[in-house]
Amino acid sequence: MVALGEGFGAGLVLSLRARYESRMLRPPSGLSRREMLRLSSGVFLSMGLWPGALSAADAPRSGNYSFIVTNDTHHMSDECTAWLERVVAQMRGHREARLCLALGDLTDTGSRESMTAFRKTFAKLGLPLHVQIGNHDYAAGNDRSQYEAAFPGRLNYEFRYRGWQYVSLDTTEGTKADKVQIQPATFAWLEENLRRLNPRRPTILFTHLPMAEGVQYRPLNADALLDQFRDFNLRAVFSGHYHSLTQRSGRNGAVMTTNRCCALKRGNHDGSKEKGYFLCVARNGDVTFEFIEVNPA
Ligand SMILES: [Fe+2]
């Protein structure tokens, strides 16, 4: 159990107590306000009362809508273009979707031809497309010039939609696939830009490399990145790279996922055969999702 006076823990407890004392929050059932005020930060954390969870408790109103999340399309040939045409045609059937996230490894080798084919094919979706770079979107020599030419300004960025905040972060270290260190440029962007966001608004983070603890290929410094969102009302973290369906609960109660790939020529790491994407719903400040399999030809 964390004792008062231990740096962050003490600050957390004082912040939480101040909010209970000001009656911004109600004690969980079974606890009196007096008992609540005697708790240590360890107990607060074990109850899921991380600062970001408090943000969720009094979050501003946000809209309800659907969106699509796809990852690891690995375009490498004309055959893949035909496949992605079918993927996009199926996605267009989700008439309720309002935007699409693509979590990297858009292409297999970062070539101009593949980057162009991916961009042109997904333009037919008719939805705002928000991409992130994957390790396979680099050409030899860690050259990401084709990604940056196809998708300018799409390394670290944020956007907002109907009261929700989306943060897209570059977690790659060139073509490296394992034991990756998220690069200083990403942390510098967070330092500069997170202050412009409202921590109370429901927030969605999306990356290429997995962020959840215990998931294969998680970057070595993933915790340092997640720490930046400590005070945020983080509701979901979507990632790719590990071509497998995983779901974890993050420390703010955020759902953290990876998904099977949406590639014709690449397999899944968990041995599953299904290919597809997530159809997600943002509703009442939370995110739910379901895997949608792409029908075979
Ligand atoms: Fe991949």
Side-chain angles (χ1 to χ4, degrees), residues 86-99:
R86 284 211 310 281
V87 170
V88 167
Q90 184 171 323
M91 288 176 170
R92 283 174 66 93
H94 305 298
R95 294 185 171 279
E96 69 278 28
R98 292 293 173 268
L99 53 93

Side-chain angles (χ1 to χ4, degrees), residues 43-264:
V43 176
F44 276 105
L45 293 173
S46 70
M47 294 168 74
L49 295 175
W50 190 259
L54 298 186
S55 296
D58 57 354
R61 288 175 68 87
S62 54
N64 300 337
Y65 59 94
S66 296
F67 60 101
I68 291 168
V69 179
T70 184
N71 60 286
D72 296 274
T73 45
H74 285 270
H75 183 283
M76 63 177 85
S77 66
D78 290 344
E79 233 184 321
C80 295
T81 306
W83 159 259
L84 291 181
E85 296 272 2
R86 284 211 310 281
V87 170
V88 167
Q90 184 171 323
M91 288 176 170
R92 283 174 66 93
H94 305 298
R95 294 185 171 279
E96 69 278 28
R98 292 293 173 268
L99 53 93
C100 179
L101 313 180
L103 309 181
D105 285 1
L106 315 177
T107 71
D108 201 58
T109 59
S111 71
R112 181 159 63 101
E113 294 73 18
S114 283
M115 211 60 79
T116 303
F118 176 90
R119 183 171 52 77
K120 286 186 172 176
T121 305
F122 270 79
K124 295 175 185 172
L125 183 54
L127 293 177
L129 176 69
H130 303 280
V131 299
Q132 185 45 250
I133 190 169
N135 55 304
H136 278 269
D137 295 314
Y138 289 78
N142 289 340
D143 174 10
R144 66 184 181 203
S145 59
Q146 295 304 330
Y147 174 85
E148 292 189 88
F151 302 105
R154 287 295 177 260
L155 287 172
N156 296 299
Y157 63 99
E158 53 91 7
F159 66 92
R160 301 152 202 208
Y161 184 75
R162 297 185 65 179
W164 289 72
Q165 299 174 141
Y166 287 78
V167 181
S168 180
L169 295 178
D170 171 17
T171 49
T172 61
E173 186 183 356
T175 58
K176 201 169 172 182
D178 196 11
K179 297 184 172 53
V180 165
Q181 286 279 358
I182 302 166
Q183 294 299 286
T186 297
F187 290 97
W189 185 91
L190 285 166
E191 175 77 26
E192 183 62 30
N193 292 279
L194 270 194
R195 68 184 75 162
R196 297 193 290 111
L197 301 182
N198 181 347
R200 294 167 58 219
R201 288 214 168 273
T203 301
I204 293 172
L205 169 64
F206 60 105
T207 64
H208 179 61
L209 277 96
M211 287 292 109
E213 210 167 318
V215 176
Q216 197 170 349
Y217 304 129
R218 186 182 195 237
L220 299 173
N221 53 351
D223 278 330
L225 187 145
L226 290 174
D227 283 348
Q228 305 295 313
F229 293 88
R230 191 188 68 201
D231 295 328
F232 273 74
N233 178 15
L234 191 63
R235 305 317 312 146
V237 181
F238 291 106
S239 306
H241 189 62
Y242 181 48
H243 299 190
S244 304
L245 187 56
T246 68
Q247 179 179 350
R248 301 281 193 279
S249 182
R251 45 187 152 180
N252 290 5
V255 62
M256 306 180 78
T257 70
T258 61
N259 198 1
R260 300 165 177 126
C261 73
C262 199
L264 177 67

Side-chain angles (χ1 to χ4, degrees), residues 23-61:
R23 299 186 181 271
M24 289 172 68
L25 292 169
R26 292 148 62 104
S29 60
L31 277 184
S32 70
R33 188 167 295 276
R34 184 182 296 249
E35 288 168 329
M36 194 74 220
L37 296 175
R38 279 206 296 262
L39 296 180
S40 73
S41 63
V43 176
F44 276 105
L45 293 173
S46 70
M47 294 168 74
L49 295 175
W50 190 259
L54 298 186
S55 296
D58 57 354
R61 288 175 68 87

